[in-house]
Amino acid sequence: MNFNNQNLNYFTYLFYLIFLFFFYVTVRAISGFELISDEIYFLKTDVYDNRRWIFLAYAQMFDSLNFNILNVLFLNFMCLIISYHFISKINSDNHFLTFFQMVYVTAISSYVLRDVLILALLSISIYYSFYLFNEKVVNFAKKLTVFILILASLLILSQLRFQYLIMFFTSFLGAFFLSKYPKKTFVILLPLIYYAISNFDSSYFYDYRLLDLNNIFAYDFSIYDFLLSRADRWGVDFSLQSLFISSIRHIFAPLPHSLILRIISPEMWNIYGVLDDIYRLIFRISLIFIMYIISMNISKIPKIFYKNKFEFLFIFLFSIQNIILYSLFAAGGGHERIKIFSFLIFYYIISKITVPKESQEVNYQKNNNIIRINL
């Protein structure tokens, strides 16, 4: 390949991410690799459940705990590189932007197994779904290969967090029908949305057994009762107003100043350590800066939408589902690793805002004619 400035940027920011990953791992190694709950579950448990046994087996491949930690770190390292590659593609090859999107992912990949793997599988599935939707040239062999790759990624994803498989398909179907048949889709959806909102506080709308979903969840009571128990746990009301407030908290918390206070205040203990807060602070500052740029260029969003309807709708629907899900589940709180999927839409929009005009024209032509990919 020709080694141009684009390739140089790709490898430069990849190198920065790799450096951050190994720096974090080195600091953990010096401190003795104190395990957190997620690592303890995968590295030490002897109970293999029906859906995660293959990953538990992988995480415990060796007799030595140290070798098992290295084993998981190797998988995470590969997933980090894969995620960077495909998220860069989704972000219109804006490697600088992708670097800041993944700054905190380098921290996550240093101490948990599932989340970076989930990110890699989702980025692969999303990118190649865009390819299948936009490809105009009939090449059955290539499309079949891409379809099998997506299917394999989603099958593995279903063993990690089944809700993301549901979110993927609802996003794909929603984006497809809204981009192809917007008027007909709205006619069908509006009554359903009204019915859902009007019954938000009624157990009738939510009352079916979670165990009917093939033991995906481990709660033997209705979704409505489950959401009520979660709301009570976090001390919030189960209402639309509470959901809105929780969604705002989910997006904006923690604010950078609270992270700075935690970094400089030893008495504010954090199980993940000060370095984790530093990585998270960099991520949060860049995210707020990105939101500011989007707000200053909000007039450009309709044009971005009309040029990339399916992609825009897919990422928007996936992001909003993650926001709503974890706003209901954790009242807007929770670890940053569950929020990274809520911000996909912000990075997608900013990638389109900041891409040079000539690159926009090239990308638009590629989306509407031929997209060449290496499989």
Side-chain angles (χ1 to χ4, degrees):
M1 66 178 177
N2 297 324
F3 199 81
N4 52 28
N5 289 334
Q6 187 74 351
N7 293 327
L8 180 61
N9 287 336
Y10 176 91
F11 288 107
T12 298
Y13 291 110
L14 176 60
F15 171 79
Y16 292 156
L17 286 176
I18 292 173
F19 173 81
L20 291 176
F21 169 79
F22 280 106
F23 182 74
Y24 199 108
V25 170
T26 301
V27 172
R28 286 202 72 203
I30 293 173
S31 62
F33 274 119
E34 183 178 352
L35 301 179
I36 61 169
S37 59
D38 198 70
E39 287 178 297
I40 292 172
Y41 172 75
F42 281 102
L43 294 173
K44 291 188 174 183
T45 186
D46 294 326
V47 179
Y48 292 167
D49 62 37
N50 293 331
R51 293 189 297 113
R52 296 174 183 168
W53 68 268
I54 189 171
F55 301 101
L56 289 164
Y58 176 85
Q60 302 175 48
M61 186 178 296
F62 303 100
D63 293 333
S64 169
L65 179 61
N66 290 332
F67 276 116
N68 287 335
I69 291 173
L70 292 176
N71 188 36
V72 170
L73 287 175
F74 173 76
L75 177 62
N76 282 358
F77 176 71
M78 298 304 298
C79 290
L80 179 69
I81 295 175
I82 293 171
S83 299
Y84 169 77
H85 177 78
F86 285 101
I87 292 176
S88 289
K89 295 295 184 184
I90 295 171
N91 289 341
S92 303
D93 289 320
N94 191 326
H95 311 304
F96 174 76
L97 174 66
T98 305
F99 166 77
F100 282 101
Q101 184 176 359
M102 295 191 63
V103 162
Y104 192 67
V105 179
T106 62
I108 297 170
S109 59
S110 301
Y111 57 78
V112 292
L113 173 62
R114 285 179 298 171
D115 296 273
V116 190
L117 180 56
I118 290 170
L119 182 62
L121 294 170
L122 276 175
S123 60
I124 291 171
S125 302
I126 291 173
Y127 173 74
Y128 284 125
S129 295
F130 292 171
Y131 164 74
L132 286 179
F133 184 83
N134 291 319
E135 177 64 72
K136 302 300 180 182
V137 175
V138 178
N139 187 327
F140 179 76
K142 183 182 289 186
K143 285 192 173 184
L144 179 61
T145 304
V146 171
F147 179 78
I148 293 173
L149 183 60
I150 295 173
L151 183 61
S153 298
L154 293 178
L155 285 174
I156 299 173
L157 183 66
S158 68
Q159 305 303 304
L160 298 169
R161 288 205 181 104
F162 190 85
Q163 66 266 31
Y164 283 163
L165 181 67
I166 298 174
M167 289 163 57
F168 179 90
F169 280 113
T170 54
S171 299
F172 186 93
L173 293 174
F176 176 80
F177 286 107
L178 286 171
S179 60
K180 291 289 187 180
Y181 315 102
K183 293 181 180 179
K184 294 179 180 178
T185 305
F186 274 115
V187 169
I188 296 173
L189 285 181
L190 283 177
L192 294 177
I193 293 173
Y194 170 78
Y195 179 76
I197 293 175
S198 63
N199 289 277
F200 192 79
D201 289 318
S202 171
S203 61
Y204 174 77
F205 184 74
Y206 297 97
D207 195 16
Y208 61 89
R209 295 284 166 179
L210 293 178
L211 286 181
D212 292 341
L213 300 178
N214 195 26
N215 290 318
I216 293 168
F217 304 99
Y219 305 98
D220 189 16
F221 46 87
S222 69
I223 287 180
Y224 178 76
D225 292 333
F226 171 71
L227 293 176
L228 281 179
S229 68
R230 296 298 300 187
D232 183 66
R233 174 180 175 180
W234 294 104
V236 297
D237 295 326
F238 182 45
S239 63
L240 284 176
Q241 181 181 2
S242 176
L243 176 61
F244 175 76
I245 295 172
S246 296
S247 298
I248 297 298
R249 186 185 300 116
H250 175 90
I251 295 171
F252 291 100
L255 293 172
H257 75 275
S258 64
L259 289 171
I260 293 174
L261 287 175
R262 198 159 68 183
I263 291 170
I264 64 177
S265 304
E267 65 275 7
M268 299 180 69
W269 179 75
N270 174 24
I271 188 175
Y272 303 102
V274 173
L275 186 61
D276 192 88
D277 283 334
I278 294 174
Y279 280 40
R280 194 176 187 183
L281 175 63
I282 296 171
F283 171 72
R284 277 286 162 180
I285 290 175
S286 64
L287 180 60
I288 290 176
F289 186 64
I290 284 169
M291 291 179 181
Y292 172 77
I293 296 176
I294 292 174
S295 66
M296 292 295 101
N297 294 271
I298 197 167
S299 61
K300 296 181 180 179
I301 294 180
K303 185 177 181 181
I304 295 171
F305 169 76
Y306 284 112
K307 278 191 174 183
N308 311 273
K309 283 185 180 179
F310 177 78
E311 296 181 6
F312 190 103
L313 285 168
F314 185 103
I315 296 179
F316 172 77
L317 290 173
F318 194 91
S319 298
I320 201 69
Q321 285 181 92
N322 198 69
I323 292 171
I324 293 173
L325 176 66
Y326 283 102
S327 295
L328 288 170
F329 185 79
H335 194 264
E336 197 76 62
R337 61 196 176 104
I338 65 174
K339 299 182 180 183
I340 55 176
F341 305 100
S342 302
F343 305 133
L344 295 176
I345 185 61
F346 297 115
Y347 289 95
Y348 178 80
I349 292 174
I350 197 67
S351 71
K352 298 299 183 183
I353 290 175
T354 57
V355 71
K357 185 176 180 180
E358 57 272 16
S359 297
Q360 286 183 356
E361 294 174 354
V362 171
N363 289 334
Y364 181 63
Q365 291 174 1
K366 289 169 70 177
N367 287 337
N368 288 274
N369 292 287
I370 300 174
I371 299 178
R372 294 181 180 178
I373 60 174
N374 297 318
L375 298 176

